[in-house]
Amino acid sequence: MSSTQSSQTEASRIREVYARRGYTVPKDRYSFFKDENLLVHVELLREILRLLRRSQHTDLERERVLDVGCGSGFWLRQFIQWGAKPKNLFGVDLLPERIQMGDELCPKGVTLRCRDASNLEFEDGSFDLILQFTVFTSILDSEMKRKVATEMSRVLKPGGAILWYDYFVSNPFNPDVLGVTRKEISQLFPGLSIFLRRITLAPPLARTLGPISPALYRAMSVFKPLCTHYLGFFEKS
């Protein structure tokens, strides 16, 4: 099987997985009206803003941003709140229904495309920031994973960065996801300067502690061995 056929097969598998999730995962699983999800999100927002400030990516109105696996454009809309201009925001996603929803929710000027991120239709060095939030754990095929990472690096400007948020551990109860380790990240993005830190309390603990005590959740999330995600910043020289 060629690499192109491999990517197409994996893309089809991912679409089928998400179609199935539409029937098996409760609609409110990730709702911000649930304390545990709100606590996770607030922590993530705070740490992303700290990363952007530390790396001097605070003048967002001048920066072109691409969200790989953008869904309905949630993070692109968040960047608008932080000062980014809609005309500078782009997103790609495999699922047409999510792109359609994004077109309804995002302001005029934001560009969303339904396509496979292993073959991006952008010129080399097009973006100052590229976002990746829990996409790579959904890609089980190593060749497609490599191609997506290569495309992200290709369209990233020198001096730009990839903002990464994803699991580094696998879920033994979900065969459709696979954690991405520090070693694998380094292999996927050779030549980039990689910063990673652990974040986000393990979901079973978050679902238990969040509704009971936000203070206890915050205290436990500081203990990094209990965290399951990497928040990363990969800079291109």
Side-chain angles (χ1 to χ4, degrees):
M1 183 183 294
S2 69
S3 62
T4 299
Q5 289 174 321
S6 176
S7 294
Q8 291 174 344
T9 300
E10 178 66 357
S12 296
R13 186 198 64 80
I14 293 170
R15 290 189 186 98
E16 291 172 2
V17 167
Y18 276 90
R20 187 167 66 248
R21 282 171 58 87
Y23 297 100
T24 59
V25 176
K27 289 185 177 181
D28 66 345
R29 168 66 66 83
Y30 303 107
S31 170
F32 291 147
F33 290 105
K34 289 190 171 185
D35 289 335
E36 61 269 29
N37 296 330
L38 182 59
L39 287 165
V40 167
H41 186 64
V42 169
E43 177 191 22
L44 181 56
L45 287 179
R46 182 179 66 246
E47 294 304 321
I48 288 174
L49 288 169
R50 285 177 175 172
L51 264 182
L52 293 174
R53 183 176 66 237
R54 191 178 306 136
S55 60
Q56 299 183 350
H57 282 272
T58 55
D59 192 9
L60 292 174
E61 68 174 322
R62 299 176 179 274
E63 305 215 347
R64 284 169 56 88
V65 180
L66 170 65
D67 189 356
V68 171
C70 65
S72 62
F74 174 87
W75 284 104
L76 295 175
R77 294 193 297 277
Q78 182 65 68
F79 268 71
I80 291 172
Q81 293 185 38
W82 294 339
K85 291 186 176 180
K87 68 177 182 179
N88 292 332
L89 302 181
F90 300 79
V92 295
D93 200 277
L94 276 176
L95 307 180
E97 62 273 19
R98 293 195 175 188
I99 293 296
Q100 182 179 358
M101 182 179 296
D103 285 335
E104 295 173 359
L105 294 174
C106 291
K108 184 178 179 181
V110 175
T111 301
L112 303 180
R113 297 176 180 174
C114 183
R115 65 176 300 105
D116 180 349
S118 66
N119 183 24
L120 294 172
E121 291 186 334
F122 299 107
E123 298 293 328
D124 294 1
S126 294
F127 297 99
D128 301 282
L129 284 172
I130 298 178
L131 318 180
Q132 184 287 126
F133 288 75
T134 61
V135 170
F136 275 70
T137 42
S138 295
I139 305 173
L140 304 186
D141 180 77
S142 58
E143 179 61 20
M144 182 177 182
K145 203 179 294 187
R146 184 192 65 78
K147 290 177 70 175
V148 173
T150 299
E151 282 291 88
M152 290 170 67
S153 296
R154 178 183 66 79
V155 302
L156 184 64
K157 291 181 180 180
I162 293 170
L163 182 61
W164 172 285
Y165 176 73
D166 218 330
Y167 285 91
F168 61 83
V169 297
S170 299
N171 183 345
F173 304 105
N174 185 354
D176 296 316
V177 296
L178 187 64
V180 187
T181 64
R182 179 184 293 268
K183 179 180 179 180
E184 185 177 8
I185 290 170
S186 296
Q187 293 170 341
L188 288 169
F189 297 96
L192 299 192
S193 175
I194 293 175
F195 166 83
L196 292 168
R197 64 161 297 180
R198 292 187 177 196
I199 190 174
T200 305
L201 197 61
L205 279 174
R207 286 192 288 269
T208 300
L209 297 177
I212 298 172
S213 171
L216 182 57
Y217 170 92
R218 287 189 287 268
M220 295 293 285
S221 66
V222 174
F223 190 52
K224 296 309 176 185
L226 297 179
C227 294
T228 53
H229 294 62
Y230 278 136
L231 177 62
F233 204 73
F234 312 161
E235 295 183 280
K236 184 176 184 179
S237 59

